[in-house]
Amino acid sequence: MDIYQGIGFVGMVFVVVAYLLLQINKYTIRSLQYQLLNLVGAILLLISLFVHFNLGSFIIEVFWIIITIYGIAVNIKDKKKKKKKH
């Protein structure tokens, strides 16, 4: 296993752990911790794909990152709205 495969493996662990924590109700879909684990995991997987390229995996990781960033932005916006109401 080279360094890039190792980086990809760590990324996979992040994504799987995030999903596990979601399923066992330790995180919610809107929790920042869940979203950050997904984001970091997808970025690490993407880094590994720059060396060990696979088009399908590359595309899904790009979308995973975009969707996660969107989710984080929505959460931040919602939190700001809630603070203004209080």
Side-chain angles (χ1 to χ4, degrees), residues 25-41:
N25 295 316
K26 296 292 181 183
Y27 289 158
T28 67
I29 194 77
R30 303 202 33 109
S31 68
L32 184 59
Q33 297 91 337
Y34 169 73
Q35 292 173 328
L36 289 176
L37 273 174
N38 263 318
L39 181 61
V40 171

Side-chain angles (χ1 to χ4, degrees), residues 67-84:
I67 292 166
T68 302
I69 290 171
Y70 170 78
I72 291 170
V74 167
N75 284 345
I76 291 170
K77 184 179 175 182
D78 289 348
K79 286 180 183 180
K80 286 181 181 179
K81 283 182 182 179
K82 286 180 183 179
K83 282 184 181 181
K84 287 182 181 181

Side-chain angles (χ1 to χ4, degrees), residues 17-67:
V17 167
Y19 188 60
L20 171 66
L21 293 171
L22 179 70
Q23 293 303 313
I24 62 173
N25 295 316
K26 296 292 181 183
Y27 289 158
T28 67
I29 194 77
R30 303 202 33 109
S31 68
L32 184 59
Q33 297 91 337
Y34 169 73
Q35 292 173 328
L36 289 176
L37 273 174
N38 263 318
L39 181 61
V40 171
I43 290 170
L44 292 174
L45 283 161
L46 195 63
I47 289 169
S48 74
L49 288 168
F50 283 125
V51 175
H52 302 286
F53 190 75
N54 175 302
L55 182 60
S57 295
F58 183 85
I59 291 170
I60 197 167
E61 293 311 321
V62 169
F63 278 108
W64 203 269
I65 290 168
I66 292 167
I67 292 166

